[in-house]
Amino acid sequence: MRVQVTAVGQKMPRWVAEGYQEYAGRMPRELRLDLRELASGDRGKGGNPARAREVEGQRLLQAVPKGARVIALDGGGRRIDTEALAGAMREWLQDGRDVALLIGGPDGLDDACLKAADQRWSLSPLTLPHMLVRVLVAEQLYRAWTLITGHPYHR
């Protein structure tokens, strides 16, 4: 089973890539963590942020693996903690389908992504920079895995 983290944004700083890889590398084979980074829509001078978000939404939905469970990471979603994430991960392992976690760009996710999602989760009541969410998602997925396996990292 694969957990695909699909994110919109410009090229990430090295520390983001290193942080993400640190946790992704710890995941077991049965929960492989893949990152797909997609280009942002045009927000330059004269660009239309609403149109950019729509274009990003189309790119995100096209990147979702066929048959995957889709989870939109959105500030308005259901707040999820580590224990709830571990419970979801147990369901994923039993279900066997791939999971696609969608991370929007600087203006969030397009409505099409929110409608297509099986679930909407909020990782924090704080507004987190979309680049940092990549690292937080990878760390929390690893933490949930350690909770399932009884590893002391989760404490």
Side-chain angles (χ1 to χ4, degrees), residues 81-103:
D81 60 18
T82 305
E83 288 78 19
L85 181 56
M89 192 176 278
R90 284 184 186 99
E91 288 177 22
W92 300 346
L93 288 165
Q94 289 179 358
D95 182 49
R97 289 187 296 157
D98 287 342
V99 175
L101 300 172
L102 305 182
I103 302 171

Side-chain angles (χ1 to χ4, degrees), residues 9 12 15 23 30 36 47 71 78 87 93 95 97 108 115 119 129 137 139 143 153:
M12 293 297 110
W15 66 268
Y23 293 106
E30 62 266 29
R36 295 235 12 224
I71 300 170
R78 179 175 62 96
L93 288 165
D95 182 49
R97 289 187 296 157
K115 288 176 184 168
Q119 297 177 6
V137 164
E139 191 278 337
R143 186 176 295 266
Y153 177 83

Side-chain angles (χ1 to χ4, degrees), residues 136-153:
L136 292 174
V137 164
E139 191 278 337
Q140 283 299 301
L141 289 167
Y142 176 70
R143 186 176 295 266
W145 174 251
T146 65
L147 186 65
I148 290 170
T149 61
H151 189 280
Y153 177 83

Side-chain angles (χ1 to χ4, degrees), residues 11-29:
K11 183 170 171 34
M12 293 297 110
R14 186 179 65 194
W15 66 268
V16 171
E18 289 173 355
Y20 180 89
Q21 285 304 320
E22 174 66 27
Y23 293 106
R26 296 179 185 186
M27 294 297 288
R29 282 183 293 203

Side-chain angles (χ1 to χ4, degrees), residues 39-153:
S40 297
D42 181 17
R43 286 183 178 74
K45 189 173 183 174
N48 179 334
R51 177 67 183 137
R53 190 170 71 179
E54 182 182 334
V55 167
E56 292 164 359
Q58 292 168 0
R59 290 176 184 158
L60 283 164
L61 292 174
Q62 288 171 355
V64 171
K66 185 177 175 109
R69 177 188 309 248
V70 178
I71 300 170
L73 299 179
D74 177 65
R78 179 175 62 96
R79 290 168 80 178
I80 187 158
D81 60 18
T82 305
E83 288 78 19
L85 181 56
M89 192 176 278
R90 284 184 186 99
E91 288 177 22
W92 300 346
L93 288 165
Q94 289 179 358
D95 182 49
R97 289 187 296 157
D98 287 342
V99 175
L101 300 172
L102 305 182
I103 302 171
D107 298 309
L109 288 167
D110 186 60
D111 287 341
C113 291
L114 299 177
K115 288 176 184 168
D118 297 302
Q119 297 177 6
R120 288 173 58 188
W121 291 354
S122 173
L123 298 179
S124 170
L126 299 172
T127 301
L128 302 170
H130 61 283
M131 72 176 68
L132 185 56
V133 171
R134 293 161 166 82
V135 179
L136 292 174
V137 164
E139 191 278 337
Q140 283 299 301
L141 289 167
Y142 176 70
R143 186 176 295 266
W145 174 251
T146 65
L147 186 65
I148 290 170
T149 61
H151 189 280
Y153 177 83

